[in-house]
């Protein structure tokens, strides 16, 4: 049992180290984009696939309530499932089509290689001329194929869903900490 526990810790640590090497530049770009968008009065929408839905909600909660500072809320919305139509595949896209505007940002957390709901939300974001930040694993090529030259991909170096979600949770916290630092402490 102890060896199994150590193996899980080691796998998580290895992904964290690899992510630290590969995600510095896209993370810095995402922070700059999110910060400037918030300062321009734009909204941040977030969504996730099955395993990453709670990460999207956590990210929104951090933007609204803050991490380290007592501050005003930032305009953030988590796209969610429709309780009256829970199997509706286009539920995220419909929300984004109704609420999203040019210049807003969609932050999509994807831990699987395919998510039709997130895929459709990204298409809706593109039709609204929004910028997309995708936080994915190594095998989300279908999702990342939607990204344009102004969009940002933060690709976690793993195909293991559990490791991807761990890193997404870490990155959601880090993004919010860095946004607060940029806005309230000047970088």
């Amino acid at each position: 049992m102890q060896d199994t526990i150590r193996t899980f810790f080691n796998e998580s640590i290895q992904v964290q180290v690899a992510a630290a090497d590969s995600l510095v530049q896209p993370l810095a770009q995402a922070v700059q984009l999110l910060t400037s968008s918030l300062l321009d009065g734009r909204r941040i929408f977030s969504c996730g696939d099955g395993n990453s839905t709670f990460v999207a909600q956590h990210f929104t909660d951090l933007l609204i309530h803050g991490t380290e500072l007592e501050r005003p809320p930032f305009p953030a919305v988590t796209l969610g499932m429709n309780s009256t139509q829970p199997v509706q595949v286009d539920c995220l896209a419909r929300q984004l089509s109704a609420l999203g505007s040019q210049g807003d940002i969609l932050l999509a957390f994807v831990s699987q290689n395919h998510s039709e709901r997130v895929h459709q939300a990204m298409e809706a974001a593109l039709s609204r001329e929004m910028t997309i930040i995708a936080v994915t694993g190594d095998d989300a090529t279908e999702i990342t194929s939607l990204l344009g030259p102004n969009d940002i991909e933060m690709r976690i170096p793993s195909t293991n869903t559990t490791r991807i979600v761990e890193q997404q949770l870490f990155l959601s916290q880090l993004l919010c900490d860095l946004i607060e630092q940029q806005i309230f402490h000047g970088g």
Side-chain angles (χ1 to χ4, degrees), residues 158-174:
S158 179
T159 57
N160 181 310
T161 301
T162 303
R163 301 290 85 82
I164 294 167
V165 173
E166 286 173 354
Q167 290 305 302
Q168 288 175 335
L169 189 58
F170 174 77
L171 290 170
S172 70
Q173 180 73 47
L174 183 56

Side-chain angles (χ1 to χ4, degrees), residues 137-162:
D138 265 345
D139 61 353
T141 53
E142 182 177 320
I143 293 292
T144 58
S145 68
L146 293 173
L147 298 176
N150 296 324
D151 299 324
I152 298 169
E153 179 187 9
M154 290 191 283
R155 185 179 290 225
I156 296 164
S158 179
T159 57
N160 181 310
T161 301
T162 303

Side-chain angles (χ1 to χ4, degrees), residues 59-162:
F59 177 76
T60 298
D61 287 346
L62 291 172
L63 284 179
I64 291 173
H65 299 289
T67 59
E68 298 290 324
L69 302 173
E70 186 73 30
R71 60 161 175 81
F74 294 136
V77 176
T78 303
L79 305 173
M81 304 303 173
N82 183 333
S83 61
T84 61
Q85 300 289 327
V87 295
Q88 188 177 21
V89 174
D90 66 346
C91 61
L92 304 179
R94 291 179 63 82
Q95 292 170 54
L96 206 51
S97 294
L99 300 171
S101 298
Q102 181 179 2
D104 290 341
I105 295 176
L106 173 63
L107 181 56
F109 294 96
V110 182
S111 60
Q112 302 165 351
N113 61 359
H114 176 74
S115 172
E116 188 60 32
R117 282 189 175 100
V118 174
H119 185 100
Q120 288 188 19
M122 290 173 69
E123 288 178 339
L126 293 172
S127 73
R128 304 292 291 175
E129 297 183 30
M130 297 171 61
T131 303
I132 300 170
I133 300 171
V135 185
T136 69
D138 265 345
D139 61 353
T141 53
E142 182 177 320
I143 293 292
T144 58
S145 68
L146 293 173
L147 298 176
N150 296 324
D151 299 324
I152 298 169
E153 179 187 9
M154 290 191 283
R155 185 179 290 225
I156 296 164
S158 179
T159 57
N160 181 310
T161 301
T162 303

